[in-house]
Amino acid sequence: MTVREEAHRLLDALPEDRLSEAVELLRQWAAAEHGERPRRRFRTTAVFDGEPDLGERTKEVVRDVWGAEGRRTA
């Protein structure tokens, strides 16, 4: 069995709900072969429990942390 035949067999064996993910991956690989830059899709689900203004205060938080590291002594 060739690699291509095995790939076809594996695609046929996939459940219908997973087939679209496999096809999208193959599209990205095929596009990369033709010199196109594949688009990445990130699927994330996250819950963040933090201060409401944390995004606005990012620079301040980083300055505080890095500044504190510079003042540490052994």
Side-chain angles (χ1 to χ4, degrees), residues 12-39:
D12 290 339
L14 277 176
E16 191 69 31
D17 61 328
R18 301 293 309 266
L19 193 56
S20 63
E21 296 173 39
V23 169
E24 181 60 32
L25 183 61
L26 290 171
R27 280 186 188 131
Q28 290 175 8
W29 288 348
E33 287 294 316
H34 296 295
E36 298 174 21
R37 200 167 177 192
R39 289 178 37 196

Side-chain angles (χ1 to χ4, degrees), residues 57-67:
R57 294 184 335 105
T58 302
K59 289 182 181 179
E60 178 185 332
V61 170
V62 170
R63 268 192 228 110
D64 290 347
V65 171
W66 284 355

Side-chain angles (χ1 to χ4, degrees), residues 43-47:
R43 294 181 185 159
T44 59
T45 303
V47 176

